[in-house]
Amino acid sequence: MTSTVPAPMTTTAEGSALQAVFLDMDGTLVDTEGLWWDAEKAVFADLGHQLDESWRDVVVGGPMTRSAGFLIDSTGADITLPELTVALNDRFEARIGRGVPLMPGAAALLAELRAYDIPTALVSASHRRIIDRILESVGPEAFHLTVAGDEIARTKPHPDPYLHAAARLGAEPARCAVVEDTATGVASAEAAGCRVVAVPSVAPIAPAEGRVIVRSLEEVNLAFLRTLFTGMQ
């Protein structure tokens, strides 16, 4: 689950109150939300069912159990939840076998965080097998810690994944910046007490007090993330 975890710290370089940065994976760092939907459509086509495009907004960003359960209920497909989970992961893993594209601005942001040795975690609702495969494209060296959806009893939208990441990195959740692309992920990070930057991918994210919404990761860098904590001692 983890690589080298830095010692607990109160401030980062230049006295910033930012202690750690947490990033979602699908749709945030890598352009895979469409690939997941393609995999879901293909699996259900094999089962004799066609998915309604409007369901895409429902399943995006959710934990596998919730998304898969919704699709079973909506289609009436003759498949169990464990069987569908395996089938979806298998189909998706086959689709990313040749690598995955990074979202615009992702490489630059990860490089800057690494250059300044900012404690960084990848926090995803995807399963470990998928995260490890995608890390082959992103580079595992970019993260001090990775958290998978099947390693946490309650994944997003519950706060547990981000609380776990903060505890592992010795950081206070209120001093952690989270970058997410879905309402489910945003809800998880906000429930954990983190400062959130939303970069909507498939579905829009509603404005809310304390929530920063940007159009692309190209608008996000270390200086930008530090401004989220302006005035915090």
Side-chain angles (χ1 to χ4, degrees), residues 2-231:
T2 66
S3 55
T4 302
V5 177
M9 53 200 299
T10 56
T11 59
T12 55
E14 300 178 10
S16 169
L18 170 67
Q19 291 185 343
V21 176
F22 304 148
L23 302 117
D24 174 56
M25 185 175 73
D26 295 296
T28 299
L29 288 179
V30 289
D31 191 7
T32 50
E33 294 291 13
L35 299 182
W36 273 114
W37 182 241
D38 288 344
E40 288 160 346
K41 289 195 297 184
V43 168
F44 276 89
D46 291 344
L47 295 170
H49 296 275
Q50 182 175 350
L51 300 187
D52 190 305
E53 286 294 323
S54 67
W55 297 343
R56 184 176 180 181
D57 288 355
V58 179
V59 300
V60 66
M64 177 71 74
T65 52
R66 190 198 74 183
S67 299
F70 170 83
L71 293 175
I72 291 174
D73 291 342
S74 298
T75 60
D78 184 18
I79 189 171
T80 67
L81 184 58
E83 289 171 340
L84 180 56
T85 297
V86 172
L88 290 174
N89 277 326
D90 286 347
R91 189 65 64 101
F92 180 74
E93 191 169 0
R95 286 179 174 269
I96 63 174
R98 297 181 181 178
V100 294
L102 291 176
M103 297 296 285
L109 176 59
L110 291 175
E112 184 179 26
L113 294 175
R114 189 180 182 202
Y116 283 89
D117 198 27
I118 303 298
T120 304
L122 180 68
V123 182
S124 175
S126 290
H127 289 187
R128 170 55 57 186
R129 59 179 285 197
I130 300 300
I131 288 179
D132 287 346
R133 193 63 183 272
I134 287 181
L135 284 175
E136 295 174 9
S137 296
V138 177
E141 68 279 356
F143 307 100
H144 295 82
L145 170 76
T146 60
V147 179
D150 56 340
E151 296 170 341
I152 300 292
R154 299 192 310 170
T155 187
K156 304 173 187 179
H158 298 287
D160 305 38
Y162 286 110
L163 292 175
H164 176 80
R168 290 289 299 174
L169 293 181
E172 301 172 41
R175 295 176 183 268
C176 297
V178 172
V179 185
E180 276 277 3
D181 74 303
T182 67
T184 299
V186 167
S188 173
E190 290 181 341
C194 302
R195 301 291 177 91
V196 179
V197 177
V199 191
S201 58
V202 174
I205 296 175
E209 184 178 356
R211 180 184 302 169
V212 177
I213 301 176
V214 299
R215 292 171 296 179
S216 166
L217 280 184
E218 292 174 307
E219 300 178 38
V220 181
N221 56 25
L222 182 54
F224 175 89
L225 293 174
R226 283 176 169 157
T227 65
L228 303 178
F229 303 88
T230 300

